[in-house]
Amino acid sequence: MAARAARIPPCPFPRFYPPCTSFASSFHIHQFPASHLPCSRFQASPLKYFRQGTHRGLSTWGSPTGAVPDVERKATLVERQGATRAIESILKPQSDYARYNMIVGNHGTGKTTLVCHVGHQLDGILYVNISPNSVSDKTFAEEFAKAFHWTPATRFWHDMLLSYWGISAGEVADDRAILVEVFKEFDNQAKVFKKNKGRSPVLVLDNINRLAEANPKLLNILQDMAKDAADDGLFITVFVTSRSASSRLGKVVEIGDMNHDEAIDFLCNKRAISESVAEDIYSLVGGRVGLLVTAVNELDSGQDFAGVRELLLGDARRVLRKGGMEQGGQFREAGIQIANHIFQHGRISWYDFYRISGSTSQGDQLLSLNIFTTAPRSEWVFFDTKPMEITVRALVENASD
C-alpha cells in the first residue's frame, strides 16, 4: 500500500530493499547465526530463555500525553506552522489511515525537535531514537523495549550462574530472538491500544539513516513490518531520517530550511536580534535552523559576529579536511570540479556528480561527507550548508591562484 511521509532530500542511502512475504517471516530466527553457549548443558532455545516480561508500556505511551520526550530547551524550538501541521497530520492520523510515513530533512533542519514538540502533546505515540550505539539487532531491541518500559524477564539463578562464570546473560540469547520478543510484545500492546481507543497507535523511528549505513538488513525488516502493520491496520510507522530515499513510500514530507522572511522573523521577533545583524547571520548560514540557533546562542554568550563567523566556517573547514578536499586529499580534484559546476549553474545533476566522482561508490562516499547534499526526489546535488558553500568557494579560489 502506498505510504505518506514528512520529508528531506534523496541520497543514495538509506536504500530500501524488496519486501518480505509477511510480518512474521521478517523475524525468522534461523535467518541469522545464533550465539553459542560455552557449556552445552545450558544450551536452550532462545524463546525458552524468556519468561513473560513486565507490561508497563500502555501506562506510558498509551497515556493521554507526554510519552514522547519534549524539547529539552525551548530556546532551540523554532515554531514553523507549515511543518508543524504536516507533522501533526501524520502523528495524529484518521482512524482509517493505512499507510506508513517518512519525515526527512538535512541535519540541523529541526525535524527531531519538531517531532518531539508535536508528539509530546499527543497520546498513542511510541518514540524510539536510534543512536550510534543502538544499530545492532540486540541494542536496537533493547532501545525499543526501553521506549515502552518493557523488559523480558530472565531466569534469575541461571543468569547468576553465568555471571559467576564471567558470562553475560545477554550473550546467551540470539540477538534476533530478543528482537522477536520485543516486537511480539509491542504487537500485543498495539492491539490493546486500538481496542481501547478505536484507532491505531503510531511508532516513530528517528535517525533510521544510521541503520541504513550500519545494519541495512534490520532496516529492511522494519520496512516490511511497517507495511504489513499498515495493511493490517495494527499500527502506523513514521520513519525520521536525515537522508531521503526513494522506496516503497508514497508521499514524503520534507522539513527543509526556512526562507529569508521566516529566518529574519525568527531572529528579530523571537530572539531579539537587530535587523542588520539578522541579515548578516542569514547571509552566513542561510535558513538552516540549527545554524541560526547556534549563531544566536554564540552572540548571546558574548561572542561578536566575527567570532561567530570564524567558528562556523572553521567547522566547515574541518569537514573539508576530513573529507579529503584539501591539498593532496582523496576527493580534492573531483570535489573542486563539482564545486565549480555548482558555482556556475547553481546545482549539478546526479549523472554529472557521479561521473566526476569516478564511480558510484566514490560518489556515495562523497555525498556522505556533508559537503554536498541532495534535494528530495530530485536529480540535483547542492552544497550541504551555506557555511560550506562559502568555505568551498574560498578553497576553489585559492586552488586557482
Side-chain angles (χ1 to χ4, degrees):
M1 180 168 281
R4 200 186 76 162
R7 89 195 223 188
I8 294 182
C11 178
F13 55 86
R15 299 188 185 280
F16 290 77
Y17 300 82
C20 296
T21 55
S22 69
F23 172 72
S25 68
S26 301
F27 298 100
H28 285 171
I29 298 172
H30 67 266
Q31 293 177 349
F32 293 83
S35 302
H36 298 285
L37 286 173
C39 187
S40 60
R41 61 196 173 119
F42 284 98
Q43 184 76 45
S45 67
L47 294 181
K48 290 182 180 178
Y49 178 71
F50 298 104
R51 288 189 284 106
Q52 187 177 27
T54 58
H55 297 264
R56 297 196 294 122
L58 281 173
S59 65
T60 52
W61 64 276
S63 62
T65 59
V68 179
D70 199 4
V71 181
E72 293 184 4
R73 293 190 305 154
K74 292 297 182 181
T76 65
L77 176 64
V78 180
E79 296 277 7
R80 303 170 66 183
Q81 292 185 359
T84 299
R85 284 194 298 269
I87 292 174
E88 185 174 358
S89 70
I90 63 174
L91 294 186
K92 190 178 180 180
Q94 300 296 320
S95 59
D96 60 346
Y97 189 76
R99 299 177 180 178
Y100 64 104
N101 310 308
M102 178 172 282
I103 299 173
V104 293
N106 282 336
H107 178 72
T109 52
K111 58 190 179 299
T112 293
T113 301
L114 287 173
V115 167
C116 290
H117 176 65
V118 175
H120 183 73
Q121 304 171 60
L122 304 173
D123 69 327
I125 301 176
L126 182 67
Y127 175 85
V128 181
N129 178 41
I130 303 170
S131 70
N133 296 323
S134 58
V135 294
S136 70
D137 293 349
K138 179 183 177 183
T139 55
F140 173 81
E142 291 171 346
E143 193 69 26
F144 198 148
K146 185 169 63 176
F148 61 99
H149 299 274
W150 182 79
T151 304
T154 59
R155 294 176 295 177
F156 178 76
W157 292 111
H158 177 262
D159 294 349
M160 287 292 290
L161 180 59
L162 291 177
S163 177
Y164 177 78
W165 286 344
I167 302 170
S168 169
E171 295 172 5
V172 178
D174 174 34
D175 290 353
R176 187 49 49 95
I178 299 174
L179 191 62
V180 170
E181 287 295 303
V182 173
F183 270 104
K184 280 183 178 179
E185 178 60 24
F186 177 69
D187 181 273
N188 291 334
Q189 293 197 20
K191 289 176 181 176
V192 173
F193 179 90
K194 185 171 184 179
K195 181 180 179 180
N196 293 339
K197 300 286 187 175
R199 57 185 173 84
S200 301
V202 176
L203 169 63
V204 178
L205 298 176
D206 199 356
N207 292 308
I208 63 159
N209 45 287
R210 288 173 175 155
L211 289 182
E213 300 171 33
N215 194 348
K217 288 183 179 179
L218 178 55
L219 177 58
N220 183 30
I221 288 176
L222 293 176
Q223 291 177 99
D224 291 331
M225 174 206 72
K227 179 183 182 300
D228 292 337
D231 289 345
D232 295 339
L234 183 58
F235 59 87
I236 296 164
T237 307
V238 178
F239 295 105
V240 184
T241 176
S242 61
R243 302 286 182 184
S244 71
S246 57
S247 67
R248 308 190 308 253
L249 291 170
K251 181 181 178 183
V252 179
V253 179
E254 176 190 5
I255 307 300
D257 293 341
M258 291 193 292
N259 61 36
H260 174 271
D261 291 345
E262 290 174 329
I264 298 302
D265 176 70
F266 164 70
L267 293 171
C268 295
N269 298 325
K270 304 294 175 56
R271 299 303 297 268
I273 300 296
S274 69
E275 187 172 351
S276 61
V277 174
E279 291 289 352
D280 288 340
I281 294 174
Y282 184 79
S283 67
L284 174 63
V285 303
R288 185 63 53 87
V289 173
L291 295 177
L292 288 169
V293 171
T294 297
V296 174
N297 289 343
E298 288 296 325
L299 291 173
D300 287 346
S301 70
Q303 184 74 270
D304 60 16
F305 181 76
V308 174
R309 178 183 174 86
E310 179 55 33
L311 173 69
L312 294 177
L313 296 186
D315 289 342
R317 284 193 293 269
R318 280 188 287 274
V319 172
L320 287 180
R321 185 161 52 250
K322 183 178 179 180
M325 273 191 64
E326 293 200 337
Q327 189 68 41
Q330 177 185 0
F331 293 111
R332 180 175 176 82
E333 183 177 348
I336 288 179
Q337 288 186 50
I338 292 169
N340 275 321
H341 191 288
I342 296 176
F343 288 136
Q344 293 174 19
H345 305 284
R347 58 189 184 180
I348 186 171
S349 69
W350 277 77
Y351 174 81
D352 287 333
F353 180 88
Y354 280 98
R355 176 181 56 80
I356 296 173
S357 297
S359 68
T360 300
S361 61
Q362 287 185 303
D364 288 352
Q365 185 179 354
L366 186 53
L367 270 178
S368 72
L369 298 174
N370 297 323
I371 298 172
F372 304 102
T373 191
T374 58
R377 296 188 174 183
S378 80
E379 298 179 353
W380 304 104
V381 177
F382 312 85
F383 289 112
D384 185 60
T385 63
K386 185 67 174 179
M388 182 58 67
E389 178 183 349
I390 294 170
T391 304
V392 173
R393 185 180 293 277
L395 183 146
V396 170
E397 290 174 350
N398 291 335
S400 63
D401 291 342

